[in-house]
């Protein structure tokens, strides 16, 4: 089918909740994508930090193909080995408690909110200005952005918003607080690394009050910043953490990971999902972790991130470079125009998170040559 035919179907039959670029992708490999006319693109968005191991990584394809051919789905009424193995691996490699599986980031956030509220009934959830936690009702209520929330009021009650300020956060947390929820690196609102002092204040406030400190590592986790979990670079350890995006290497899976204290808060019947933790998605996640959770790979993310950040800072028209590892953003005069021209004129996939912010999230398997190629393509746009 041609792009024009797909666009005609979209106009007829697809709810217009997305503004798509006029490109149809038909194939991917590593950091490359191909459109329906055979044109090759360099992908520095990775499906919004999802295909961190590159498109169609052979180990992920093999794991998914083998599992799909053997057993597809049975629900959580039964045991399957991939889900149990993945839970054990995530727990041992992070907070040492237990894991609840979901199908997406927003669902992992919903599970975190339910768990925190059950641990402290009627409790409030404190969130930070500039946060993005997803678009379902609980997750949207935790996402303090007028334009995203206003059309869908009334929201879920019990959410408190604080500025990115340690004293304000500390003052907002008390005996009524069930959880402080934050992204160590805010992604959707333009890649803002939260200051260590803010995370430390959140940790201290939760220790003082018994509230749960929940880190949303849906975008910044899974090696994106150069350590498997972004919080490893801050010295602050949360009580629970949400994961999704890159966890499944391109396949939909999310997770809530807890420490031992919160591990048994949810009891049978409290929460659930038909698809969650299915064997195909869990197999994809195990294969993805095999690729990403490797000290050499993670050290490379830091090196490559530095190379990309340095190159971006040297581009004409770039006013600021922010981020950590391979989670980067640049401030420019007109970000939507730059992202569009990068795609259509230079065949480089990036995205604008706001009027002046372009975000870059290349696959973690990107090479030096590909980084230099992306920088050349961006430089050509300002030439
Ligand atoms: C993408 C994202 C979510 C929502 O994940 P979905 O899978 O789109 O529901 C939540 N939190 C953060 C930090 C994200 O980047």
């Amino acid at each position: 089918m041609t792009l024009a035919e797909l666009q005609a179907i979209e106009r007829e039959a697809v709810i217009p909740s997305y503004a798509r670029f006029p490109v149809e992708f038909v194939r991917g490999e590593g950091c490359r994508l191909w459109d329906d006319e055979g044109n090759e693109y360099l992908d520095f968005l990775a499906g919004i930090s999802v295909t961190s191991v590159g498109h169609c990584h052979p180990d992920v394809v093999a794991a998914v193909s083998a599992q799909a051919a053997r057993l597809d789905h049975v629900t959580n009424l039964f045991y399957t080995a991939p889900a149990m193995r993945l839970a054990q691996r995530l727990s041992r490699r992070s907070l040492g408690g237990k894991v609840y599986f979901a199908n997406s980031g927003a669902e992992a956030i919903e599970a975190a909110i339910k768990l925190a509220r059950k641990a402290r009934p009627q409790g409030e959830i404190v969130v930070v200005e500039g946060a993005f936690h997803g678009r379902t009702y609980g997750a949207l209520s935790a996402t303090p952005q007028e334009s995203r929330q206003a059309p869908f009021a009334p929201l879920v009650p019990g959410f408190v918003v604080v500025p990115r300020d340690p004293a304000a956060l500390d003052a907002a947390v008390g005996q009524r607080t069930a959880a402080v929820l934050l992204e160590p690196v805010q992604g959707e609102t333009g890649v803002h690394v939260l200051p260590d002092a803010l995370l430390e204040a959140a940790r201290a406030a939760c220790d003082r009050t018994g509230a749960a400190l929940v880190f949303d590592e849906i975008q910044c986790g899974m090696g994106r910043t150069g350590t498997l979990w972004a919080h490893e670079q801050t010295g602050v350890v949360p009580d629970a953490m949400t994961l999704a995006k890159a966890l499944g290497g391109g396949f939909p899976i999310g997770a809530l990971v807890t420490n031992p204290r919160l591990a048994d808060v949810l009891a049978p019947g409290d929460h659930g999902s038909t698809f969650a933790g299915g064997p195909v998605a869990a197999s994809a996640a195990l294969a993805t972790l095999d690729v990403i959770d490797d000290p050499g790979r993670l050290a490379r993310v830091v090196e490559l991130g530095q190379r990309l950040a340095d190159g971006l800072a040297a581009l004409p028209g770039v006013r600021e470079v922010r981020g950590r590892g391979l989670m980067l953003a640049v401030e420019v005069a007109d970000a939507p125009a730059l992202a569009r021209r990068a795609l259509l004129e230079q065949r480089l996939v990036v995205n604008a998170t706001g009027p002046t912010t372009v975000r870059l999230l290349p696959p973690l398997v990107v090479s030096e040559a590909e980084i230099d190629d992306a920088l050349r393509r961006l430089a050509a746009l300002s030439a």
Side-chain angles (χ1 to χ4, degrees):
M1 261 194 231
T2 66
L3 177 62
E5 287 168 326
L6 298 181
Q7 289 172 318
I9 293 174
E10 182 189 40
R11 280 191 297 277
E12 175 192 326
V14 180
I15 289 177
S17 65
Y18 300 105
R20 290 181 174 80
F21 289 104
V23 175
E24 178 196 358
F25 286 123
V26 297
R27 190 162 76 81
E29 188 186 324
C31 301
R32 311 271 158 176
L33 287 166
W34 286 268
D35 70 15
D36 57 320
E37 292 171 347
N39 299 306
E40 184 181 306
Y41 295 68
L42 194 51
D43 184 5
F44 269 45
L45 182 58
I48 316 184
S49 197
V50 167
T51 55
S52 283
V53 294
H55 291 284
C56 304
H57 190 288
D59 297 352
V60 176
V61 171
V64 164
S65 307
Q67 185 59 49
R70 191 181 313 120
L71 177 66
D72 42 14
H73 170 81
V74 292
T75 79
N76 289 295
L77 297 173
F78 309 98
Y79 291 89
T80 62
M84 296 301 135
R85 287 177 49 219
L86 179 61
Q88 184 181 54
R89 184 155 179 186
L90 289 173
S91 167
R92 288 187 176 173
R93 194 63 180 84
S94 61
L95 306 178
K98 295 183 181 175
V99 176
Y100 171 86
F101 288 119
N103 303 292
S104 67
E107 283 183 41
I109 293 288
E110 297 295 331
I113 294 169
K114 282 184 73 172
L115 185 147
R117 283 255 170 89
K118 190 173 180 222
R120 181 159 283 176
Q122 310 291 321
E124 291 171 345
I125 313 288
V126 173
V127 298
V128 178
E129 237 168 50
F132 178 89
H133 297 294
R135 296 167 181 277
T136 54
Y137 261 99
L140 179 65
S141 304
T143 297
Q145 294 167 49
E146 177 69 12
S147 63
R148 286 188 160 122
Q149 289 184 337
F152 305 105
L155 300 176
V156 178
F159 288 80
V160 176
V161 186
V162 297
R164 297 180 190 127
D165 170 52
L169 190 148
D170 182 64
V173 178
Q175 295 306 321
R176 297 208 324 277
T177 308
V180 176
L181 170 63
L182 59 82
E183 303 152 81
V185 184
Q186 295 181 334
E188 291 306 299
T189 57
V191 187
H192 297 278
V193 180
L194 293 186
D196 284 352
L198 188 68
L199 273 51
E200 286 158 11
R203 180 68 275 170
C206 289
D207 288 342
R208 172 169 62 73
T209 59
L213 180 60
V214 183
F215 282 177
D216 179 349
E217 293 226 14
I218 288 168
Q219 188 164 152
C220 61
M222 288 298 286
R224 176 54 58 190
T225 67
T227 41
L228 188 59
W229 317 121
H231 70 257
E232 292 176 74
Q233 289 170 68
T234 70
V236 176
V237 180
D239 300 310
M241 164 173 86
T242 54
L243 302 174
K245 288 202 165 88
L247 177 59
F251 293 84
I253 183 166
L256 169 67
V257 188
T258 75
N259 67 6
R261 179 172 74 86
L262 297 175
D264 295 309
V265 171
L266 294 178
D270 277 344
H271 198 41
S273 158
T274 301
F275 285 125
V280 178
S283 295
L286 285 164
T288 301
L289 276 165
D290 283 341
V291 178
I292 292 179
D293 188 11
D294 162 339
R297 169 84 56 202
L298 293 168
R300 284 279 290 157
V301 170
V302 176
E303 279 169 31
L304 293 162
Q306 194 59 53
R307 187 185 189 93
L308 181 56
D310 290 346
L312 290 168
L315 288 177
V318 168
R319 302 167 185 166
E320 186 193 343
V321 181
R322 286 193 301 270
R324 197 167 264 172
L326 284 170
M327 183 170 184
L328 294 170
V330 293
E331 286 294 307
V332 295
D334 185 345
L338 185 69
R340 189 176 181 87
R341 290 184 58 214
L343 176 73
L344 301 178
E345 296 173 24
Q346 290 294 323
R347 301 203 173 112
L348 172 68
V349 184
V350 294
N351 96 309
T353 62
T356 60
T357 308
V358 171
R359 176 175 51 178
L360 299 99
L361 301 164
L364 307 184
V365 298
V366 69
S367 68
E368 267 100 0
E370 285 164 329
I371 285 176
D372 296 347
D373 185 1
L375 290 166
R376 263 194 307 276
R377 295 186 199 208
L378 286 170
L381 288 173
S382 42

